[in-house]
């Protein structure tokens, strides 16, 4: 099957099938409803214009060329995932009677992007950072080893802001 999709808000899909009755029939993507990973590839659940929900199909991302619809869906999907994770971690923190910002194991494993290193902590000889992430309400505590690997430049900038080079130079020179 060959799928060709325009990049308009409503995208056309032409399908050349071996069945003569469907040859040249054009399908229009109305909306992208969901996404999944199937056999190592991303697929989107597509709602077709003028077709019932029973006719929705899973299409490979590589077969779709409707970036406006895909980007719109991905934005909503990412925000929904972040809100669900926030709720999950807040419930877990409440059960454990701790601050919600201390619950997530590693936000980088969940696809979140660091925005800023807020603070550094040292407890029992282990350094951790409190990091603000995009799409998460609460900052997350991240072990230093993970932060050094995932966001080395951001950690370096954090350390540079914490250092007072002028005081060091004044003490060193005198």
């Amino acid at each position: 099957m060959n799928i060709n999709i325009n990049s308009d808000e409503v995208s056309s899909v032409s399908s050349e099938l071996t069945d003569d009755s469907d040859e040249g029939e054009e399908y229009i993507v109305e909306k992208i409803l969901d996404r999944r990973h199937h056999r190592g590839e991303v697929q989107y659940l597509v709602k077709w214009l003028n077709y019932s929900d029973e006719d929705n199909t899973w299409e490979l991302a590589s077969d779709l060329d409707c970036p406006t619809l895909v980007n719109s869906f991905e934005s909503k999907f990412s925000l929904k995932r972040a809100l669900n994770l926030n709720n999950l971690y807040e419930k877990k923190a409440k059960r454990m009677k701790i601050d919600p910002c201390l619950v997530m194991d590693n936000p980088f494993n969940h696809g979140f992007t660091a925005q800023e290193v807020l603070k550094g902590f040292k407890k029992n000889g282990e350094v951790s950072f409190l990091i603000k992430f995009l799409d998460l309400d609460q900052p997350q505590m991240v072990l230093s080893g993970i932060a050094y690997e995932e966001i080395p430049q951001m950690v370096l900038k954090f350390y540079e802001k914490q250092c007072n080079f002028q005081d060091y130079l004044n003490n060193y020179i005198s």
Side-chain angles (χ1 to χ4, degrees):
M1 178 163 64
N2 180 17
I3 298 178
N4 180 15
I5 302 174
N6 299 329
S7 62
D8 299 329
E9 185 62 37
V10 176
S11 302
S12 299
V13 178
S14 65
S15 177
E16 296 173 12
L17 302 173
T18 54
D19 184 7
D20 291 339
S21 63
D22 288 341
E23 222 172 281
E25 188 174 343
E26 192 170 290
Y27 299 94
I28 298 173
V29 174
E30 181 179 329
K31 188 176 182 181
I32 295 178
L33 303 170
D34 201 359
R35 76 175 270 183
R36 71 178 182 186
H37 288 272
H38 183 71
R39 295 184 180 162
E41 295 191 73
V42 175
Q43 292 183 335
Y44 293 102
L45 182 60
V46 175
K47 165 75 172 105
W48 302 103
L49 187 65
N50 299 325
Y51 286 88
S52 70
D53 287 341
E54 293 143 5
D55 295 317
N56 296 348
T57 58
W58 287 99
E59 302 294 335
L60 289 173
S62 59
D63 289 342
L64 298 175
D65 185 25
C66 49
T68 305
L69 290 174
V70 170
N71 290 339
S72 174
F73 172 80
E74 286 294 337
S75 295
K76 292 174 188 171
F77 183 78
S78 177
L79 183 60
K80 182 179 176 183
R81 183 180 60 151
L83 292 173
N84 287 342
L85 276 175
N86 259 356
N87 291 337
L88 173 72
Y89 290 125
E90 284 177 8
K91 287 177 186 175
K92 188 175 180 181
K94 195 179 271 187
R95 268 196 328 267
M96 297 170 69
K97 297 180 181 165
I98 61 172
D99 185 357
C101 72
L102 303 176
V103 178
M104 187 179 285
D105 58 343
N106 180 355
F108 297 106
N109 287 345
H110 300 285
F112 291 103
T113 303
Q115 186 176 4
E116 179 184 5
V117 177
L118 302 173
K119 279 190 166 190
F121 299 92
K122 188 171 186 178
K123 184 176 181 183
N124 299 330
E126 191 169 302
V127 176
S128 296
F129 297 102
L130 187 63
I131 300 174
K132 172 72 177 129
F133 285 84
L134 296 173
D135 298 326
L136 287 177
D137 294 336
Q138 298 288 326
Q140 302 295 313
M141 193 66 77
V142 177
L143 294 174
S144 60
I146 295 169
Y148 298 150
E149 187 175 314
E150 297 288 342
I151 53 168
Q153 293 298 320
M154 197 176 290
V155 171
L156 183 61
K157 285 180 184 176
F158 170 77
Y159 280 132
E160 287 175 346
K161 282 197 301 188
Q162 300 304 311
C163 292
N164 190 338
F165 293 109
Q166 190 60 42
D167 284 350
Y168 176 77
L169 288 174
N170 288 340
N171 290 336
Y172 184 73
I173 293 172
S174 14

